[in-house]
Amino acid sequence: MYAARLAAELRKHADVELFGMGGAEMRAAGVEVVTDYSEVNVLGITEILSHLPQLRRAMRNLVSWARSRKPALAILTDFPGFHLRLSRKLKPLGVKNVYYICPQFWAWRPWRANLVRRRFALALCIFPFEEKCFGDAGVPVKFIGHPLVGEVRASLSRCEFEKKYELDSSRRTVAILPGSRWGEIARHLPTLLESAGELKHQMVGACNFILAISSGTELARVKALIPAEMRLTIVQGETYNALAAADAAMICSGTATVEAALLDVPMIVVYRVSKLTALLAKPLIRTKHFGMVNLIAEREVAPELIQEDFQPRKIAGEIRRLLEPARAAQARADLAEVRRRLGPPGAVQRAAEAILELLPKAARLSAKPPGNAS
């Protein structure tokens, strides 16, 4: 999503050819996708082992294309386990590497920032505290703000959403976001659904439960995880509308927590990986919090229920407290501080401008002036 928006912005301002790894959104933005990202879409330490053949194949393919096409720049988005290795292979080919959406090295194996210093011409970070973190490591870095600021908005009012999905407007509404990757959905959704059932027992009044999944998620697989007696509304490709209509949300740790903050939705943050991955990761983690909203605020503004704490009774209890007026008001005040720290709108445009400055002078001279649609 981030890379696709950047690709569209680059093509708006310059006559550039773009190729690389991505999916449907990248193709729609005019990128020639030579490797589909679905081949390498995996998260976790032990989980990666089964995907090693696909990862190696994708790496070889991208390097081969770079060798034949000789691009001036490689714009690498997050995904450090793969992209740090790719940058090492691209630099000897004369390719300048740019990191767009810097990895969270301040939280996870911080010494890797030294690799960015050696292999990248520029690092673009989206959180304000990252600029100092990477700058202290000698990385040429620029804070651009968060790409979602100014972009996250609902297309339906709460009333319109309730009418469309025949929700009871007298009830409070809880959104459930189990994650975008199938592995996350499979790990999180059963427990989140149990939490919804537990919440019904803990509260006198019933709630509307909305399960929000991405447009690319296979609906039949999701429905197979839902008990027949479970009453909830499934919305696909309408996450922003679902969040905007919610009084509180249970959210898989990741970008969705930032989206919820931008939509002013009190939330709890959940996450679970395999026990072995958790055991291997624990000594490498250098931060107190996991959720992006808490990392941005540098304190807990959304309760986190990770690994052993990810239990139905605890989740239901936290949601019940968030539905209390005083607690909800405090949560929204905290989220306002998160939004302030995310910077002003225009991050993608600022990123494109910084990247275009790295192009050879002749290429910059052919850049389109802003607003030129030709």
Side-chain angles (χ1 to χ4, degrees):
M1 176 180 67
Y2 292 145
R5 290 178 181 178
L6 176 61
E9 190 69 24
L10 288 169
R11 295 182 71 243
K12 186 193 302 183
H13 295 289
D15 184 16
V16 291
E17 293 183 12
L18 305 171
F19 72 94
M21 178 166 64
E25 289 187 75
M26 295 277 276
R27 291 186 181 93
V31 179
E32 181 184 354
V33 174
V34 300
T35 297
D36 197 288
Y37 85 102
S38 62
E39 297 179 23
V40 296
N41 190 12
V42 61
L43 187 69
I45 298 175
T46 58
E47 292 84 347
I48 284 175
L49 296 177
S50 62
H51 285 73
L52 282 177
Q54 297 98 305
L55 288 161
R56 290 193 179 110
R57 183 167 58 248
M59 180 75 69
R60 287 194 302 269
N61 192 42
L62 290 167
V63 172
S64 176
W65 276 91
R67 189 174 285 117
S68 63
R69 297 281 285 271
K70 297 180 174 57
L73 299 177
I75 303 168
L76 310 180
T77 306
D78 204 359
F79 198 19
F82 186 89
H83 281 149
L84 285 177
R85 289 169 174 81
L86 180 59
S87 65
R88 183 182 62 197
K89 295 175 181 293
L90 293 179
K91 190 174 180 180
L93 301 179
V95 180
K96 283 186 179 179
N97 294 308
V98 177
Y99 228 134
Y100 174 56
I101 317 294
C102 291
Q104 298 167 12
F105 290 153
W106 34 267
W108 171 257
R109 293 190 283 175
W111 57 88
R112 292 184 294 174
N114 294 321
L115 300 179
V116 179
R117 183 187 71 245
R118 295 199 295 267
R119 299 174 189 172
F120 286 79
L122 179 65
L124 301 171
C125 57
I126 63 174
F127 298 129
F129 56 84
E130 291 180 324
E131 190 168 31
K132 183 179 187 305
C133 173
F134 282 96
D136 287 348
V139 176
V141 63
K142 181 180 178 64
F143 170 59
I144 57 170
H146 203 288
L148 289 176
V149 176
E151 299 295 325
V152 175
R153 61 181 67 88
S155 60
L156 297 177
S157 69
R158 178 166 182 161
C159 182
E160 290 169 335
F161 184 84
E162 288 173 342
K163 185 176 180 180
K164 177 178 179 178
Y165 289 100
E166 300 180 343
L167 300 176
D168 187 340
S169 59
S170 67
R171 295 179 176 181
R172 284 167 288 187
T173 298
V174 177
I176 302 172
L177 279 68
S180 55
R181 299 174 176 88
W182 174 249
E184 291 173 331
I185 295 171
R187 283 195 305 271
H188 298 144
L189 185 54
T191 302
L192 292 173
L193 295 178
E194 286 185 55
S195 305
E198 180 66 30
L199 189 60
K200 289 181 180 179
H201 292 302
Q202 291 188 16
M203 295 180 64
V204 175
C207 291
N208 299 314
F209 291 101
I210 307 170
L211 173 60
I213 58 175
S214 68
S215 55
T217 302
E218 191 176 338
L219 185 58
R221 295 179 79 185
V222 172
K223 287 183 174 180
L225 296 175
I226 302 173
E229 69 278 6
M230 182 76 196
R231 293 188 61 187
L232 82 167
T233 300
I234 302 174
V235 300
Q236 191 165 19
E238 284 194 74
T239 297
Y240 293 172
N241 288 336
L243 284 171
D247 297 288
M250 319 173 186
I251 304 182
C252 165
S253 181
T255 301
T257 64
V258 177
E259 294 169 326
L262 290 169
L263 290 165
D264 200 27
V265 185
M267 75 193 88
I268 63 164
V269 180
V270 304
Y271 209 81
R272 178 185 288 154
V273 294
S274 71
K275 290 183 178 179
L276 182 54
T277 288
L279 183 66
L280 294 172
K282 189 173 182 180
L284 302 174
I285 293 171
R286 296 291 185 271
T287 181
K288 183 179 179 181
H289 301 296
F290 291 84
M292 286 187 181
V293 288
N294 294 331
L295 292 165
I296 296 163
E298 298 180 87
R299 60 189 175 89
E300 186 174 279
V301 299
E304 297 181 350
L305 297 174
I306 311 295
Q307 291 302 106
E308 291 80 6
D309 288 328
F310 182 43
Q311 298 175 15
R313 187 176 294 273
K314 288 186 177 182
I315 295 169
E318 292 290 355
I319 289 292
R320 179 172 51 80
R321 282 185 282 275
L322 279 181
L323 292 174
E324 296 169 358
R327 180 68 183 86
Q330 181 59 56
R332 290 193 166 94
D334 291 338
L335 293 177
E337 171 63 15
V338 170
R339 291 193 293 274
R340 186 189 68 78
R341 292 187 176 207
L342 286 173
V348 177
Q349 182 177 346
R350 289 189 289 274
E353 290 169 354
I355 289 168
L356 290 174
E357 283 297 314
L358 294 175
L359 286 173
K361 187 176 180 181
R364 291 206 304 272
L365 290 175
S366 69
K368 304 173 187 176
N372 188 342
S374 63

